[in-house]
């Protein structure tokens, strides 16, 4: 077969350009990535061979070999794993097949430090080989197939694929080491790299010096699954490197949970909470990334029932002693043992998070900034654990810049305050400017500022905390009169009787557009605001559902007017001295449209709003 030439996918070409034309401080991580890929290939074949033993071809002693040949100037990493077909090579080595490649490239381009280990987060670690190699050859034969192929590239924009010979299944990667990178042909240097980054790999990693081929290959790593070892035998660095391996991550783990569970079900967990947000955290599929093992044999990383969607930021492994080795994905969906494990995993993770929240408040605040929006999905979905999650939850509030918990909020409640008040908005800046907060600020009442889309949903099913109702400041039932403190009412504030005339006039002018018009205790500076009736849907939730065509016509709102505002006082004076006229009606419509705009909505008739605004400006200038 004649070698065929292919062009790299555009993202790969861009990636290779960044790799080969930048200076990076940790070039040694290329070996970590190649060894990790070899380990994955061995794990995959070991799993496939449970159902298809013939794939092993009598070779079940999985191992990885790293061979340095100073005379030839090559470094070879080979394995007897699952291997690749010609089509696999095109898909895996010529394309960034995983979603998020564009986000990855932007992040890599923007990084100021030379830490290329970020590429592991996106499953494209193979390309780090071009940091140290002029050319890379990949010879592979897929298990179960007779034909082998060789992939070859110098990283300049294209690659070739040709037929090849290989005695058994697996993959051999040969790097022609660049002149300036000859240190990576030194076996002592290679040994240190393997011991640092790959000691946890569950298969033997054998180091060979081609100049001493007669010597027995040295097994450099311990070749035991890290999670099977005692915690006292594992260093923090080993935990960190295993996290990077199993998660394909570049950051350090923020929390590590390593435990062996015995009893009704026996299993071992080694779970990590990342420091940084994974790029696919908000993928609509909400898949977790825990790897399920049975008796140290990798089964799947798609066991949907292993953890709930709101814990999808977890990384790590769960190794069961009780599940059958030949368990299928279909069986896992209905496996009672898996459901039991799920419940126990959730409880252990919550216990760890509660401990972190107590012992490391600052670190927990950073965790919450990264993952709080995901954890809060559990408030809506997980009835059993919602009370614990609500205690863990942290929020922005009007009390300051720091995040606060509900227990701390309750401890700061004002005399006479019987509810926990909150405001949902698109972002904290928008929330802080809302007119609904004015009366609460005047009274010194703290309001939680909730800006995640999920907030509107969990609030619909969690109505209280510690016996205190959670109440939106945009609902009509927010009564501030019982709360001590606040400003005195100005002497020129209109009396109830005078206000009643204006309220009646505005109701008539806005008939069919609002549910009611009434005086407000929540406003201090703004003339008007819109609120939802107590029995109606919260305003932001309705907007969100309407945007997704989940609700029909919008509910009519209540227009509250501020009797202390100069404009409202002038309108009261006008209706007291003259009959209700066109000016009052136009003012009512103008104020209603203004209230809509403040809520982020568009007036029903923007042209009419513009005309009214111009007319009022003209009258004001006369």
């Amino acid at each position: 077969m004649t070698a065929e030439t292919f062009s790299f996918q555009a993202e790969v070409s861009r990636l290779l350009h960044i790799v080969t034309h930048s200076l990076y401080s940790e070039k040694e991580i290329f070996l970590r990535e190649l060894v990790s890929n070899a380990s994955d290939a061995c794990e995959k074949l070991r799993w496939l061979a449970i159902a298809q033993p013939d794939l092993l071809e009598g070779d079940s002693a999985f191992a990885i070999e790293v061979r340095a040949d100073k005379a030839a100037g090559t470094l070879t990493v080979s394995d007897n794993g699952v291997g690749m077909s010609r089509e696999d090579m095109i898909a895996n080595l010529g394309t960034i097949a995983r979603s998020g490649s564009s986000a990855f490239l932007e992040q890599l381009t923007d990084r100021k430090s030379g830490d290329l280990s970020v590429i592991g987060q996106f499953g494209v670690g193979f390309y780090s080989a071009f940091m140290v190699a002029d050319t890379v050859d990949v010879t592979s034969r897929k298990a179960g197939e007779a034909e082998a192929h060789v992939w070859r590239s110098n990283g300049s924009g294209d690659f070739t694929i040709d037929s090849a010979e290989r005695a058994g299944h697996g993959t051999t990667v040969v790097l022609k080491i660049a002149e300036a990178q000859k240190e990576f042909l030194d076996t002592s240097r290679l040994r240190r790299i393997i011991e640092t980054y790959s000691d946890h790999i569950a298969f033997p990693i054998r180091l060979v010096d081609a100049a001493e081929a007669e010597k027995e290959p040295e097994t450099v790593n311990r070749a035991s699954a890290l999670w099977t070892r005692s915690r006292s035998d594992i260093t923090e660095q080993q935990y960190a490197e295993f996290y990077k391996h199993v998660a394909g991550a570049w950051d350090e783990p923020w929390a590590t949970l390593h435990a062996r569970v015995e009893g009704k079900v026996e299993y071992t967990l080694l779970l990590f909470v990342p420091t940084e947000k994974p790029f696919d955290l908000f993928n609509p599929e909400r898949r977790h990334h825990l790897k399920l093992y049975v008796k140290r044999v990798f089964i799947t990383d798609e066991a949907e029932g292993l953890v709930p969607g709101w814990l999808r930021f977890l990384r790590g492994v769960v190794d069961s002693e009780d599940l059958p080795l030949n368990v299928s994905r279909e069986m896992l969906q209905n496996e009672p043992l898996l459901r039991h494990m799920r419940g126990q995993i959730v409880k252990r993770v919550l216990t760890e998070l509660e401990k972190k929240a107590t012992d490391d408040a600052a670190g927990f605040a950073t965790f919450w900034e990264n993952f709080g929006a995901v954890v809060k999905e559990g408030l809506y979905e997980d009835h059993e654990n919602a009370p614990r999650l609500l205690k863990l939850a942290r929020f922005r509030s009007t009390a300051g810049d720091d995040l606060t918990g509900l227990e701390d909020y309750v401890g700061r409640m004002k005399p006479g305050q019987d509810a926990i008040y909150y405001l949902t908005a698109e972002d904290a800046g928008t929330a802080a400017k809302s007119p609904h907060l004015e009366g609460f600020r005047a009274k010194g009442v703290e309001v939680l500022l909730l800006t995640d889309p999920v907030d509107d949903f969990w609030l619909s099913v969690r109505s209280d905390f510690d016996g205190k109702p959670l109440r939106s400041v945009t609902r009509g039932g927010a009564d501030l009169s019982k709360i001590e403190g606040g400003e005195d009412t100005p002497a020129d504030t209109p009396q109830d009787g005078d206000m009643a005339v204006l309220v009646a006039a505005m109701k008539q002018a806005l008939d069919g557009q609002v549910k009611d018009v009434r005086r407000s205790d929540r406003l201090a500076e703004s003339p008007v605001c819109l609120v939802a009736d107590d029995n109606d849907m919260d305003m932001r939730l309705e907007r969100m559902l309407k945007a997704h065509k989940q609700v029909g016509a919008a509910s009519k709102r209540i227009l509250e007017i501020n009797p202390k505002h100069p404009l409202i006082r002038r309108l009261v004076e006008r209706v007291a001295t003259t009959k209700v006229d066109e000016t009052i009606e136009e003012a009512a419509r103008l104020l209603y449209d203004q209230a809509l705009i403040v809520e982020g909505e568009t007036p029903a008739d923007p042209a009419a709003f513009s005309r009214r605004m111009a007319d009022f400006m003209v009258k004001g200038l006369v």
Side-chain angles (χ1 to χ4, degrees):
M1 173 179 171
T2 304
E4 294 183 78
T5 300
F6 302 84
S7 295
F8 282 116
Q9 181 194 37
E11 285 90 343
V12 176
S13 295
R14 187 174 161 205
L15 170 65
L16 288 170
H17 179 80
I18 295 171
V19 168
T20 56
H21 292 84
S22 300
L23 294 176
Y24 295 98
S25 59
E26 296 182 17
K27 294 189 177 185
E28 63 189 30
I29 63 97
F30 84 92
L31 186 56
R32 179 190 74 184
E33 298 299 331
L34 295 181
V35 169
S36 181
N37 289 345
S39 171
D40 290 344
C42 292
E43 277 194 334
K44 186 173 182 180
L45 181 56
R46 184 166 65 171
W47 159 239
L48 293 173
I50 295 172
Q52 305 175 68
D54 292 346
L55 292 176
L56 292 176
E57 302 174 11
D59 183 11
S60 61
F62 294 107
I64 301 164
E65 182 179 279
V66 178
R67 176 180 292 266
D69 189 335
K70 290 184 178 179
T74 60
L75 179 67
T76 302
V77 179
S78 59
D79 65 73
N80 56 344
V82 70
M84 290 181 286
S85 65
R86 176 181 177 277
E87 290 71 25
D88 292 336
M89 286 181 164
I90 295 172
N92 297 338
L93 306 183
T95 303
I96 303 180
R98 294 178 57 179
S99 61
S101 58
S102 296
F104 153 65
L105 287 165
E106 289 173 7
Q107 186 175 145
L108 180 59
T109 304
D110 292 342
R111 288 176 71 84
K112 293 178 181 176
S113 67
D115 181 11
L116 195 64
S117 55
V118 65
I119 68 177
Q121 184 186 13
F122 289 82
V124 291
F126 166 76
Y127 302 111
S128 61
F130 288 99
M131 289 192 297
V132 300
D134 291 329
T135 60
V136 177
D137 289 12
V138 181
T139 303
S140 190
R141 179 160 76 82
K142 190 168 186 176
E145 296 185 2
E147 190 175 1
H149 296 85
V150 58
W151 178 101
R152 181 174 292 115
S153 179
N154 61 6
S156 63
D158 55 35
F159 60 92
T160 62
I161 294 181
D162 200 355
S163 296
E165 296 293 330
R166 196 179 196 280
H169 54 75
T171 300
T172 301
V173 182
V174 180
L175 283 65
K176 182 67 173 178
I177 300 298
E179 190 62 34
Q181 310 300 331
K182 295 297 186 181
E183 62 180 289
F184 296 111
L185 294 175
D186 187 307
T187 53
S188 60
R189 176 84 164 98
L190 296 172
R191 183 183 299 105
R192 287 195 299 273
I193 295 171
I194 295 169
E195 289 174 345
T196 300
Y197 293 110
S198 304
D199 187 58
H200 60 272
I201 295 295
F203 305 102
I205 304 173
R206 294 169 183 150
L207 182 59
V208 177
D209 187 336
E212 302 175 348
E214 70 283 355
K215 286 189 177 181
E216 187 73 18
E218 174 189 4
T219 298
V220 182
N221 66 322
R222 296 194 195 184
S224 64
L226 190 76
W227 61 90
T228 64
R229 303 184 202 167
S230 170
R231 289 182 62 102
S232 59
D233 294 336
I234 305 172
T235 66
E236 289 302 315
Q237 183 180 14
Q238 287 173 323
Y239 273 131
E241 288 307 322
F242 181 73
Y243 160 69
K244 292 174 183 178
H245 164 73
V246 77
W250 57 274
D251 58 336
E252 300 292 322
W254 175 69
T256 301
L257 177 57
H258 187 187
R260 179 170 177 79
V261 181
E262 298 178 341
K264 179 180 177 180
V265 181
E266 291 190 11
Y267 58 94
T268 302
L269 336 150
L270 180 48
L271 308 180
F272 302 95
V273 178
T275 297
E276 304 290 341
K277 280 190 282 193
F279 78 99
D280 59 351
L281 184 64
F282 294 104
N283 190 303
E285 294 179 347
R286 302 172 70 221
R287 289 182 179 174
H288 69 77
H289 292 270
L290 295 186
K291 296 181 182 294
L292 177 64
Y293 287 73
V294 174
K295 299 179 179 66
R296 269 67 65 199
V297 176
F298 173 70
I299 302 299
T300 182
D301 56 4
E302 297 183 358
E304 295 179 10
L306 193 56
V307 290
W310 58 269
L311 282 178
R312 61 185 177 274
F313 54 85
L314 289 175
R315 299 293 188 265
V317 301
V318 179
D319 190 350
S320 169
E321 295 293 330
D322 301 292
L323 290 170
L325 271 173
N326 61 348
V327 66
S328 66
R329 288 183 63 186
E330 291 72 22
M331 291 172 62
L332 285 172
Q333 292 176 3
N334 301 298
E335 176 57 60
L337 290 178
L338 198 70
R339 290 198 295 272
H340 179 80
M341 289 166 59
R342 169 190 173 118
Q344 294 302 309
I345 291 170
V346 170
K347 286 180 171 58
R348 285 177 176 270
V349 171
L350 285 176
T351 298
E352 180 67 17
L353 292 178
E354 288 164 348
K355 183 175 182 296
K356 285 283 193 179
T358 301
D359 298 344
D360 181 13
F364 186 79
T366 301
F367 160 80
W368 195 263
E369 292 278 19
N370 286 332
F371 304 110
V374 172
V375 175
K376 283 188 287 189
E377 293 173 11
L379 293 171
Y380 182 74
E381 301 172 344
D382 193 334
H383 179 74
E384 179 183 357
N385 294 297
R388 294 179 72 179
L389 289 174
L390 204 52
K391 284 187 177 182
L392 281 172
R394 297 292 185 266
F395 308 96
R396 297 285 175 197
S397 87
T398 56
D401 296 330
D402 295 334
L403 294 174
T404 186
L406 292 180
E407 288 180 327
D408 291 333
Y409 178 102
V410 170
R412 295 191 293 267
M413 286 173 60
K414 303 282 288 185
Q417 181 181 349
D418 59 5
I420 298 170
Y421 291 104
Y422 67 86
L423 171 67
T424 60
E426 301 305 319
D427 55 71
T430 300
K433 298 173 184 176
S434 172
H436 297 95
L437 296 178
E438 294 172 1
F440 292 87
R441 282 202 181 97
K443 286 275 189 179
V445 175
E446 183 176 0
V447 178
L448 302 176
L449 307 177
L450 311 183
T451 57
D452 293 317
V454 70
D455 290 323
D456 294 281
F457 294 93
W458 71 260
L459 284 163
S460 67
V461 295
R462 306 289 159 212
S463 58
D464 68 277
F465 172 79
D466 196 24
K468 304 289 192 300
L470 292 158
R471 188 167 296 160
S472 171
V473 301
T474 67
R475 289 188 182 274
D479 183 5
L480 298 177
S481 61
K482 297 182 295 182
I483 302 175
E484 296 180 11
E487 300 174 354
D488 296 330
T489 302
D492 58 350
T493 298
Q495 299 302 307
D496 290 345
D498 296 330
M499 277 294 297
V501 178
L502 177 62
V503 166
M506 294 182 72
K507 280 184 182 179
Q508 183 177 351
L510 298 173
D511 184 37
Q513 294 177 273
V514 297
K515 181 175 285 189
D516 195 8
V517 178
R518 64 191 182 201
R519 67 181 296 158
S520 176
D521 292 325
R522 79 185 74 222
L523 293 172
E525 300 171 1
S526 300
V528 293
C529 71
L530 288 171
V531 298
D533 199 356
D534 280 343
N535 297 320
D536 288 340
M537 191 181 296
D538 195 72
M539 293 166 66
R540 188 174 79 138
L541 177 58
E542 184 174 86
R543 282 199 300 273
M544 290 171 56
L545 294 177
K546 187 177 178 182
H548 291 85
K549 304 188 185 312
Q550 298 296 309
V551 294
S555 302
K556 292 178 182 176
R557 302 303 182 191
I558 297 169
L559 182 69
E560 290 195 354
I561 58 178
N562 177 11
K564 295 174 284 187
H565 193 276
L567 176 57
I568 301 301
R569 294 205 302 267
R570 289 290 301 273
L571 292 175
V572 169
E573 293 170 3
R574 186 177 182 91
V575 297
T577 57
T578 64
K579 293 181 179 180
V580 175
D581 56 13
E582 184 180 349
T583 298
I584 297 296
E585 294 175 353
E586 289 291 279
R589 297 187 184 100
L590 186 62
L591 287 169
Y592 172 64
D593 285 343
Q594 176 184 326
L596 284 173
I597 293 171
V598 169
E599 289 301 319
E601 299 182 14
T602 303
D605 188 346
F609 168 74
S610 178
R611 176 185 55 77
R612 292 188 190 104
M613 178 65 73
D615 289 346
F616 265 78
M617 290 177 68
V618 169
K619 292 175 182 177
L621 294 172
V622 173

